[in-house]
Structures are given as C-alpha cells and as structure tokens.
Amino acid sequence: MMYHVALRPALIATGLFLLALFISVWMAFFTYRQNSETVFAEFDARADSLAAQISRELDITVATIEASASALSLGGSVEGSVLKEQLYSYLEKGNILASSPAIKNIGLVMNGGFKDASTPSPSFPLIGVYPDTSSKAIGADLSFSPERIAAIHFAQDTGRAGVGDRIVLLTGVPGVFFAFPIYATEIIPVDSGARRKETVGLIVAVLATDSFMLNALSDIDLKGVDFEVHDLGSDTNASPVLGAQTVLASSRLEAIDYSDSSSDELLISSASDVITRDVEVGGHVWRILLAPKPNATNSLAVQVSWAIALVGLLISALVGFATYQQLIQSVSLKRRVQERTHALQTANSLISKRANEDDLTGLGNRRSLANAIDQMIEEHAAAELYSIAAIHIDLDRFKQINDTMGHAGGDFVLRHVAKLITSSFPDEAFCARVGGDEFTAALIIESGNEIALQNAAYGLIEACSLPVAFEGRPCRFGASVGIAVQSLPEADPKALLVDADLALYRAKEDGRGRVQLFSPEIHAQVIAYKHRSDDILRAIEAGNEFIPYLQPQISFSDGQLYGVEALARWKHPELGVLPPSEFLSIAEDLDVVAQIDRSILEGSIDIVNRCQELGYSVPHLSTNLSFSRLMEEEFVASISNLPACDSSISFEILESIFLDEETGPAMWNIDKIRSAGFDVQIDDFGSGRASVVALTRVAPSRMKIDRELVAPIADHDERLQLVKSIVEIGKVLGIGVTAEGVETQKQAQLLGEMGCDVLQGYLFAKPLSEGDLLKFLRSFPICGKLAS
C-alpha cells in the first residue's frame, strides 16, 4: 500500500509529464502542419501571380507583334519591298524594340504559295529582319520546321499570333518563334482554307525567354522557390516527357544545357511538392512548375525539436508564442495578399490601358476602336431610327513635315490634330489613331443627319489648314476626310470601316482637303483606282513604259532653239500614250514619283545625246524634280553618276516647294545640285505665295512664269502688268525668265518686248516624242544642223 502511495506522485508526475509531452508534441505537430499549409498556400498564391503576370506580359508581347502587322497598309500593293519599308519605318519611328526588349527581332515573311500541311513546299521566305543584325537569315524559308508550319497555320486560321518551336539563341538561352498573319483584305473569311489563301505574308518575331521572364518576374517574390517554365507544345492531351529540350526558363539557368536536346537535367520535375499552372499562348501550352527550395522547411523541424526539448517549462510560453506567431503570420499573409492583389489590379489596369490606347496622342487605337463600334451597335440594337457613322481622317503633306522637321515635329503635329479631332465631334464620339497619320472617329447619329456630320468634318479640315508653329517654324498641312454611315441595327462594323476608307481614297483622289460621303459609286471608282495603282507598279517593274516627251524652248532675241523641257508620259500597252494627269497623283500616293523622275531624266539625256550625234544642237535640257526625290539623301550622289551629256542640265522645282522648304534638307540638296554642276530653276512662278526674300535665298538661274498668268495677257491689262512685274524682278535679281503656255504670236511679242528671253508653248511645238523632235529640228527655220 505504501509502495502504491509513494508511487502515486511519481505516477501523477509521470502522467502529467506524459500529458505535457503529448500536448507539447501535439502542439508542435499542429504548429508544423499549420506552417506547412501556410507556406504552400503562399506558394499557391505565388503560382497564381506568376501565371497571371506571364499571361499579361505575353498579351503585351503579342499586342506589339499584332500592332506591327496592323501598321502595314497594303494600299493596293502587296509587294514585299513596300511592306518591308513600312514595317521598318513603323519599328524605327515607334522605337518598338526598345519598349519591348524581350523581342530580339521582328521580321517579314511573304507567302510564296504554300497550300496545306499535306503538301509542304518552301514557300515562306524571310525577306526582312529588323534590326538588320540578323541579315544573314534573309531569304531563309521558314517552312522547314513542322512546328513553325503549325504556328503559321494556327496564325492564318485564327488571326492570332501563333507560337512555333523553341530556338536556342546565340547567347545559349532559349527563345520562342512567333508568327502573325497579314491578310490581303480587312474582311477576313471564316473558312480556314480561304484565310490561308488570303494570307499575304506574316510578321514573325523571336522572343528571348530569359529577358521575357526577367521582366515578367520583376514584381514577383520568388524567395525560397525554385521554378521552371516548359513548352508542352500544341497537343494538350499528350503527356510530354519534360526535359531540357522543353525548358523555356528556370530559376537556375546555369544548371541546364539548353542546346543539348538529350539532356534531362531538371530542377523540380521530380519533387513531391510541385505546384503547376498552365498558360495558353498561340496554340501552345506553357506549364509553370514551382516547388520549395531544398531545406526551405528546416526552420519548422527546428521548431518541433525545440518544442519537444522544452516540454515542461516552456509549454505555456510555446503555446502562447505559437498562437502569437500564427496570428502574426496570418495578419502578415493577409496583408501581403491584399498588397499583391492591389498590385496586380494596378498592373492589369496599366496593361489594359497600354493595349487599348495610343501612347502618343492619348486617343484609342485600332483595337479599342473596333471594340467601341461593337459596343455602340450592341447598345443601339433596337434603335431603328439611328445610324452609326465612321469618319476616317488622313493628314496631307505630313511626310514632308517628318522629313523636314524630324519626328519630334511630326509627333507635335499628331498631338495637335488629336485635340482638333476630339473638339470637332460630339463628346460621345470615340476617337482613335489607327495609323501613322490616320485617325478614325465613330459615333451614333440620327438617321438622315449626315449633313451635320459633314459640316463638322469641314470644320476640322479648316482647322487643320491653319499653320501651327513648332520651335518657331510654321507647320503647314491639311486633312482629307471620308465618311461612311450604316443604319442600325443591321450595321456591319468591318464593312463600315472599309467604306469610310474607300470614301477617304475618293476624297484624296479628288484633290485632298475634301470631305467625301461613301456611296456605291465610290466603291467602283476606288476599285478602278486600285487597278490603275497596280498598273503603275507593273509599268515601273517593266522599266520601259514611262518615257520622256521633249517640248522645245525658243530664245526670243534670235529665234534659236534655247533648249527642251523633259515631260513624263506613260506609253501604256493598251491605252496608248497617257499624260501625267492620268498617273501622277496616284504615283505620288504610291511614293514612286522619284523612280519615274529618274527614268524620265535618263531617257531625256539619251535622246539629247542621239540628237547631238546626228548633228543637231540642243543647248539646254530641263526636267522637273519632285519633292520626294529632292529630299532623298542619295539624290545628289545619283545625279553625279548620270550619263555624260553635252547639254547643260537644269532641275525645275515647284515654287510651292522652295517657298515652304527654304531651309533644312531641301536647301542643302539644292546647294549640292549646284556644286555638282547642274542649274536650278523655279517652275510655275506666280502660282503660289511668291516671296522675293525666298527667291534670293534659293537664287535660281531661271524662273518660269506659270501658264495661268501668261494666257490672258493679250486681253487683260492687269495681267499684263503683273507679268511685267515678275519679269522686272527677274531682271533686278539677274534671273533669266521663261514664259510657258505661249500659244499666240501676240503673246510671244508682248512677252519678248517686256524682257522675257525664253518662250515655250504650243505656238512653237507641243511636247514631242524622239522621232517628232528630230522632225522639228530638221524643219526648224533657224535651228538647223551644226556647221560641219
């Protein structure tokens, strides 16, 4: 009995010890489990954040590639060289690669006739890469890889960016191939086969995944976490074997040899506590794997050991500490989740804004415009008495501002025009910048109220016609507007924008600075315009259809042949010889006037040289010089390499050009023309804003009085006095004076008597072909063969 009594306290103590031990072990185990669940809950939240951030960064990257394709304006031409120049210009002007450093290259691929995947053939040649550090790849065919063919077909069939095979870059890290289609028309067929036929080419890009991930993970806390990103390919039902050949990014780049396709060095694929997330991109699935770093939970084991070691004395403190620790961790975790959620919401708002807003002007972009039009149509689906209108605005002479004042001046003008547009139309109108110098506004109007819309558009044109100062220099430009209106609720958004674009083409064709409302007749006329554009490009490729016609110029003092002026003619294979009015304005829109100018000049030199060989003297040869060619950096070098010519050569520059561009690159090239041994003349003097100061700066050797001033001098004394004043200006400044458009003997006599020394016009001869010029030289009463 005594034994049992003595033993009782020990048993009680032992029982209490064991109870305390049990409670301590239970509490330690409970604490361990709670901490583990918290850690993995945090890992789970990080996985969600990582997947969301990668997905958003991919959206921005894809939007950048899509924007490069949207920037291309086919304008009736699908020539690879034209599209490449547009792509390079857009990437350079917008500094696109600097704002998306993960995109290493953007290239242009043309469709060479690939049919379908069952009959592969080399048909997707790479014709341009920006920047040109990868120029060795030019000409490479991108159809050699099944993965790239799959990416190209995905892009063609869906109209979205497709992802191809993984690429090991020269730096040893992986990259990803992207492709985005360029369709021949904005009205995209539904059928995938038709889509492939409509594909003109593709915008392709290489994304360096190390730079991409570095940017995507910059705001994600990955301390104590290992991660990998794998490309599972396009077959999401398959179970791919993950290895180095599928890795796009890893938290330990040095642990993997990306170039070894047989390598299976993975960091966490075999870990027991792996969290995965999948992100869909361009027909592929990217799998994100996360796991704790080794020994990341050792601190929990230490807590358990201390809990067991301090069973008795520290049980209360341990319980209190554990409870306090849990509370702190819970509050801290909640705070971090709230902060992370807020950061993700802010980032999402910024990404959404960047994806739907033009950075330069603050207006919407092409994507947000399409969404806005869809929303307007949806909200007014039952409004039968209303219509939706699209107003397409294009700036005139904007390229000259960029050429003479730089991109800073061009950006200033674009921001100024954006303010004019938003103030010209109602507040409910959605305004967007849809191209380099193109804008579109969309709004709901009452049916039959197109007049008010046209009046607002004319007000905008008038506002754009007013010069605006940039750095103390006036910027002069204009605007043309096309309007399309469709009744609700059956309006078609894509057709609406196409119709507005066609109306704009008509406005520009009619002389710019106009407002044109779309009608079915315009569609037919624009189609004809496109056919003429295609015909001009074909003629330039043929190389022998644009020919010079030469109009004689007569010296009044002795009746001798002073020289000839070279004028462009198009020897069309079906329509015969066409004057400049049939092709010049379209050629300006196509930006091919410089090519025609050079063809006419070289052909004129050949004709004059042949005349000299036959014994006929042609002292002077003058030719028109377009603004686009004057602004070419290589222009002076090109005329220095012209064929030899015994006649002196003069370049005629329109008065409007030298008055507006009397400083900067234009004047620099004019000085270089003189230095190269050529003369400079002013054409159509008196037709614009004549300035004696500007005339003295340019210092031409000769100026030509516009035919509109010459025509009425025999019947209107005030016109006669005006022409006399111009001749007197020439005399005072030591500038020779030529009168063009001389058609009567009386006009010739009056002009000669007032001091106009050279005459040109139908009184003497119309513009002549080479054969007719020789006939003229043989029969000319004073100008005959040179003395033998």
Side-chain angles (χ1 to χ4, degrees):
M1 178 68 67
M2 290 298 295
Y3 173 77
H4 288 290
V5 172
L7 198 60
R8 187 176 298 167
L11 291 174
I12 293 173
T14 301
L16 292 174
F17 173 78
L18 292 175
L19 178 61
L21 179 62
F22 172 79
I23 293 174
S24 299
V25 170
W26 183 85
M27 289 296 295
F29 178 74
F30 177 79
T31 303
Y32 174 81
R33 287 292 303 273
Q34 286 293 102
N35 278 279
S36 296
E37 290 174 2
T38 301
V39 169
F40 283 101
E42 188 174 5
F43 284 163
D44 201 68
R46 292 182 184 181
D48 288 337
S49 299
L50 180 58
Q53 189 67 10
I54 290 176
S55 180
R56 288 183 177 88
E57 287 295 326
L58 282 170
D59 287 345
I60 294 174
T61 300
V62 170
T64 300
I65 299 171
E66 292 179 0
S68 299
S70 298
L72 302 184
S73 172
L74 297 181
S77 171
V78 293
E79 292 297 320
S81 60
V82 175
L83 297 181
K84 182 174 76 172
E85 289 179 5
Q86 292 181 4
L87 176 63
Y88 283 17
S89 175
Y90 168 77
L91 295 175
E92 182 177 354
K93 291 177 181 178
N95 204 12
I96 301 303
L97 294 190
S99 59
S100 302
I103 300 178
K104 296 305 178 185
N105 301 99
I106 293 182
L108 177 63
V109 174
M110 297 305 294
N111 187 347
F114 188 87
K115 300 289 185 179
D116 52 53
S118 65
T119 58
S121 64
S123 56
F124 289 96
L126 183 66
I127 70 166
V129 181
Y130 185 92
D132 61 0
T133 52
S134 302
S135 59
K136 292 183 179 178
I138 299 298
D141 178 31
L142 300 188
S143 64
F144 71 91
S145 166
E147 292 84 0
R148 294 190 187 180
I149 285 296
I152 291 172
H153 282 172
F154 177 88
Q156 290 177 306
D157 296 346
T158 65
R160 297 161 48 201
V163 171
D165 52 321
R166 193 193 69 161
I167 306 167
V168 179
L169 305 179
L170 295 177
T171 55
V173 297
V176 177
F177 170 83
F178 280 81
F180 186 81
I182 307 169
Y183 294 116
T185 174
E186 292 190 21
I187 304 177
I188 310 304
V190 176
D191 178 69
S192 62
R195 283 175 177 255
R196 295 186 187 181
K197 291 180 180 179
E198 287 293 331
T199 302
V200 174
L202 304 109
I203 295 295
V204 298
V206 174
L207 179 73
T209 54
D210 59 339
S211 300
F212 173 83
M213 291 298 172
L214 193 63
N215 186 48
L217 305 180
S218 59
D219 294 329
I220 304 295
D221 180 12
L222 294 177
K223 184 178 180 181
V225 177
D226 277 331
F227 77 92
E228 293 173 356
V229 181
H230 293 260
D231 185 355
L232 303 187
S234 59
D235 188 1
T236 56
N237 297 320
S239 299
V241 178
L242 302 184
Q245 69 278 7
T246 66
V247 174
L248 296 175
S250 170
S251 55
R252 291 170 56 198
L253 297 175
E254 70 280 3
I256 297 176
D257 180 6
Y258 293 101
S259 63
D260 184 3
S261 62
S262 64
S263 173
D264 59 358
E265 297 174 322
L266 296 179
L267 301 178
I268 60 175
S269 62
S270 60
S272 59
D273 298 320
V274 176
I275 296 174
T276 64
R277 294 289 187 274
D278 288 348
V279 175
E280 192 276 336
V281 51
H284 279 220
V285 174
W286 288 7
R287 177 157 292 172
I288 306 167
L289 295 81
L290 289 91
K293 286 183 179 291
N295 302 321
T297 57
N298 281 353
S299 59
L300 300 176
V302 172
Q303 290 181 22
V304 173
S305 299
W306 275 104
I308 296 174
L310 302 177
V311 170
L313 297 177
L314 300 180
I315 184 66
S316 298
L318 183 60
V319 172
F321 176 78
T323 304
Y324 173 77
Q325 190 74 5
Q326 285 294 104
L327 180 60
I328 293 299
Q329 288 184 358
S330 177
V331 172
S332 177
L333 178 60
K334 183 177 180 180
R335 183 184 299 112
R336 287 199 298 272
V337 170
Q338 290 175 340
E339 291 174 351
R340 186 66 62 200
T341 300
H342 177 71
L344 289 175
Q345 289 174 343
T346 302
N348 185 56
S349 299
L350 179 61
I351 291 170
S352 178
K353 182 178 180 181
R354 291 176 58 186
N356 293 281
E357 184 178 287
D358 177 54
D359 292 337
L360 178 64
T361 62
L363 301 180
N365 57 16
R366 188 181 294 272
R367 173 182 292 181
S368 59
L369 173 67
N371 294 335
I373 292 176
D374 289 340
Q375 184 176 352
M376 289 179 188
I377 294 175
E378 182 179 352
E379 291 177 351
H380 295 81
E384 297 183 356
L385 299 179
Y386 287 85
S387 300
I388 185 169
I391 305 101
H392 196 171
I393 303 126
D394 181 74
L395 300 186
D396 301 329
R397 300 186 74 248
F398 177 74
K399 183 178 184 300
Q400 297 182 17
I401 293 175
N402 260 344
D403 290 340
T404 58
M405 298 188 179
H407 294 305
D411 291 347
F412 171 80
V413 167
L414 292 174
R415 287 191 291 268
H416 173 70
V417 171
K419 294 177 182 178
L420 295 179
I421 291 173
T422 54
S423 63
S424 297
F425 299 106
D427 293 340
E428 60 269 18
F430 185 89
C431 302
R433 179 185 174 212
V434 296
D437 60 346
E438 295 183 44
F439 300 83
T440 298
L443 71 159
I444 301 296
I445 64 171
E446 294 182 4
S447 296
N449 197 27
E450 290 84 354
I451 296 296
L453 202 60
Q454 289 177 283
N455 290 337
Y458 275 116
L460 173 62
I461 290 176
E462 184 177 355
C464 289
S465 67
L466 300 176
V468 57
F470 173 71
E471 295 182 350
R473 298 176 59 191
C475 297
R476 294 187 177 92
F477 60 94
S480 300
V481 179
I483 301 175
V485 178
Q486 291 188 3
S487 300
L488 295 172
E490 63 271 9
D492 183 342
K494 291 183 178 179
L496 178 71
L497 293 175
V498 170
D499 291 348
D501 192 42
L502 294 178
L504 174 63
Y505 269 117
R506 175 60 185 273
K508 295 174 73 70
E509 187 182 23
D510 286 348
R512 306 173 185 265
R514 299 172 182 271
V515 175
Q516 179 65 57
L517 187 66
F518 176 81
S519 65
E521 292 78 11
I522 289 178
H523 183 268
Q525 292 166 357
V526 171
I527 294 301
Y529 178 91
K530 181 181 182 302
H531 290 165
R532 179 57 58 90
S533 299
D534 294 341
D535 217 8
I536 289 174
L537 295 175
R538 177 203 57 75
I540 290 176
E541 290 181 357
N544 61 352
E545 294 188 19
F546 290 103
I547 60 174
Y549 267 45
L550 304 176
Q551 187 171 27
Q553 299 170 327
I554 308 302
S555 174
F556 179 79
S557 61
D558 57 11
Q560 295 284 352
L561 179 69
Y562 174 82
V564 292
E565 179 185 4
L567 302 169
R569 294 292 186 270
W570 182 6
K571 190 176 181 180
H572 195 282
E574 298 175 359
L575 304 177
V577 178
L578 302 178
S581 59
E582 295 293 328
F583 62 86
L584 191 56
S585 62
I586 301 178
E588 288 175 349
D589 292 339
L590 297 175
D591 198 21
V592 295
V593 173
Q595 300 175 51
I596 296 175
D597 279 357
R598 182 169 183 86
S599 177
I600 297 304
L601 176 57
E602 292 179 348
S604 301
I605 292 175
D606 291 341
I607 293 174
V608 168
N609 285 342
R610 283 193 288 270
C611 289
Q612 299 282 7
E613 291 172 0
L614 293 173
Y616 298 104
S617 173
V618 182
H620 302 280
L621 169 64
S622 62
T623 183
N624 293 306
L625 179 60
S626 64
F627 177 80
S628 59
R629 191 139 190 249
L630 176 62
M631 297 304 297
E632 288 180 356
E633 293 182 1
E634 66 275 10
F635 170 66
V636 176
S638 69
I639 62 174
S640 299
N641 297 323
L642 288 172
C645 182
D646 292 335
S647 304
S648 65
I649 298 177
S650 301
F651 291 98
E652 295 184 5
I653 306 171
L654 288 175
E655 177 196 27
S656 58
I657 292 177
F658 89 83
L659 285 172
D660 289 343
E661 314 299 343
E662 58 185 88
T663 59
M667 282 301 302
W668 185 86
N669 266 356
I670 287 173
D671 291 338
K672 290 294 183 181
I673 289 172
R674 290 197 189 92
S675 300
F678 302 97
D679 288 335
V680 174
Q681 299 183 11
I682 300 305
D683 196 12
D684 293 343
F685 189 83
S687 61
R689 300 173 298 276
S691 167
V692 176
V693 175
L695 195 62
T696 58
R697 285 203 191 102
V698 177
S701 62
R702 179 167 292 277
M703 60 183 181
K704 296 180 71 174
I705 303 176
D706 185 72
R707 66 179 63 249
E708 296 295 329
L709 297 178
V710 170
I713 63 172
D715 302 313
H716 295 82
D717 187 62
E718 67 276 7
R719 290 298 181 91
L720 178 64
Q721 297 304 319
L722 177 60
V723 173
K724 284 183 178 180
S725 299
I726 295 175
V727 174
E728 287 300 321
I729 291 173
K731 289 180 180 179
V732 171
L733 298 178
I735 300 173
V737 181
T738 299
E740 60 180 350
V742 180
E743 297 184 357
T744 68
Q745 189 65 44
K746 186 175 181 180
Q747 290 173 340
Q749 192 65 31
L750 289 172
L751 290 165
E753 289 174 354
M754 70 176 67
C756 186
D757 55 330
V758 176
L759 306 178
Q760 176 182 344
Y762 278 25
L763 175 63
F764 307 104
K766 63 181 182 180
L768 304 172
S769 65
E770 180 178 1
D772 290 337
L773 177 64
L774 286 172
K775 293 178 182 178
F776 173 83
L777 294 176
R778 293 190 190 103
S779 62
F780 193 59
I782 296 179
C783 178
K785 284 195 172 186
L786 296 171
S788 57

